[in-house]
Amino acid sequence: MRTSLELAGRRFSLGPFLKCPHPEMVEACGLAGFDFAVADMEHTPLSPRDLYPLVLAAERRALELVVRVPANEESYIKWCLDLGVRYIQVPFVQCREDAEKAMSHGYFGPAGERGLCRFVRSADFSAEDRAAYLPRANAQTKMILQVEGVRGVENIDEILAVPGIDTLFIGPYDLSQSLGKPGQIWDDEVVAMMRRIVRACDAAGVKAGTFTDTPEGIRFWMTQGVQLIEYASDLNLFMGAVTALKQQVVGLVGSAPAI
């Protein structure tokens, strides 16, 4: 994954969630210079069939597409990987068994038990030699496991001990809810717990990721060593832009009489 930000000699990746999953939005993210975009199957009605044009659009603009699957289930992960998606984000990982399950679904044997079919897009519909496909697919797959509750934090060391995790992603909103402070993502207790996870990731040699929805949040988590920052969403950014435009126009021309 390319990186567009640097602070104190460390590189960081930045990209928005896609809540309005259309190819044009994916291309716009690439043209804007984001490192990646996150197609969110967990909190939108996005289906596996809907992913295909998004994958094509991302490849057209050299944008990495992360797919957050709805749940830690083999079918969701397999469908995305067979389309050629490289980065899979798995929600609600709470223990070592959850982590092992996700990793097993992400890789062909002997590293895992990913369902094997060569007649899929990721293998060029069988045009790629089978001896080349399996090791290449394993090498390019990156699993992002999402910890977003107190139980996951309590088990963080055993989760991070599972081999092959690319990034451990911290879900601040669900974590705040798990702590009895729903939505208070900047509460001292929530931030302290998130920083604890970042330190554990650093000690384990695993990248840390998180979500934020303000520019100040981006800089803060960069200073804490978070390397993957998922920011706001396409619709949130659009709402902010049109609201600012409306305010600017009203400031320039004042209120107009009704027609």
Side-chain angles (χ1 to χ4, degrees):
M1 189 177 293
R2 66 188 184 188
T3 53
S4 61
L5 300 170
E6 184 172 340
L7 181 68
R10 298 186 70 174
R11 305 284 294 178
F12 304 85
S13 297
L14 176 68
F17 271 98
L18 298 176
K19 303 292 188 180
C20 185
H22 292 278
E24 298 89 343
M25 195 66 75
V26 175
E27 288 197 89
C29 289
L31 290 168
F34 282 115
D35 302 308
F36 63 89
V38 186
D40 190 4
M41 296 178 71
E42 185 186 11
H43 288 292
T44 73
L46 178 66
S47 73
R49 185 173 294 277
D50 296 329
L51 279 178
Y52 204 151
L54 305 188
V55 171
L56 295 175
E59 291 177 355
R60 173 69 178 84
R61 298 299 179 180
L63 178 75
E64 202 68 69
L65 187 70
V66 178
V67 176
R68 181 164 71 176
V69 294
N72 187 3
E73 296 295 337
E74 178 190 12
S75 54
Y76 295 126
I77 295 171
K78 178 171 56 181
W79 291 336
C80 296
L81 291 173
D82 284 352
L83 269 178
V85 175
R86 286 162 29 95
Y87 285 84
I88 304 294
Q89 185 162 325
V90 181
F92 209 58
V93 172
Q94 299 193 86
C95 60
R96 182 185 181 97
E97 290 73 21
D98 289 345
E100 290 175 337
K101 179 181 177 183
M103 299 302 290
S104 177
H105 295 334
Y107 297 95
F108 295 122
E113 297 180 345
R114 172 183 167 185
L116 174 53
C117 177
R118 293 178 51 246
F119 305 95
V120 294
R121 183 176 184 272
S122 60
D124 290 337
F125 307 106
S126 79
E128 183 176 4
D129 183 85
R130 72 187 67 188
Y133 171 53
L134 300 182
R136 179 193 58 76
N138 274 359
Q140 76 173 19
T141 297
K142 308 295 180 185
M143 300 296 289
I144 303 171
L145 304 190
Q146 194 162 309
V147 170
E148 47 195 332
V150 171
R151 185 182 171 203
V153 179
E154 291 172 346
N155 295 325
I156 193 65
D157 291 331
E158 65 178 56
I159 291 171
L160 288 168
V162 175
I165 300 171
D166 181 79
T167 304
L168 199 293
F169 181 89
I170 311 160
Y173 276 96
D174 280 318
L175 181 59
S176 71
Q177 179 166 259
S178 180
L179 287 167
K181 303 176 180 182
Q184 300 178 48
I185 63 172
W186 292 108
D187 177 84
D188 289 346
E189 185 180 8
V190 177
V191 172
M193 189 164 285
M194 292 174 69
R195 292 178 67 188
R196 172 184 165 187
I197 300 171
V198 175
R199 290 194 300 270
C201 289
D202 192 52
V206 174
K207 287 184 289 187
T210 195
F211 172 86
T212 190
D213 46 17
T214 65
E216 295 79 12
I218 293 174
R219 179 169 179 81
F220 176 81
W221 288 115
M222 285 175 62
T223 65
Q224 301 303 305
V226 172
Q227 295 167 272
L228 180 80
I229 299 176
E230 298 179 0
Y231 181 71
S233 75
D234 48 1
L235 289 175
N236 175 250
L237 293 170
F238 176 76
M239 289 284 292
V242 295
T243 300
L245 174 63
K246 176 66 179 300
Q247 292 172 342
Q248 184 179 14
V249 170
V250 169
L252 289 172
V253 304
S255 58
I259 297 175

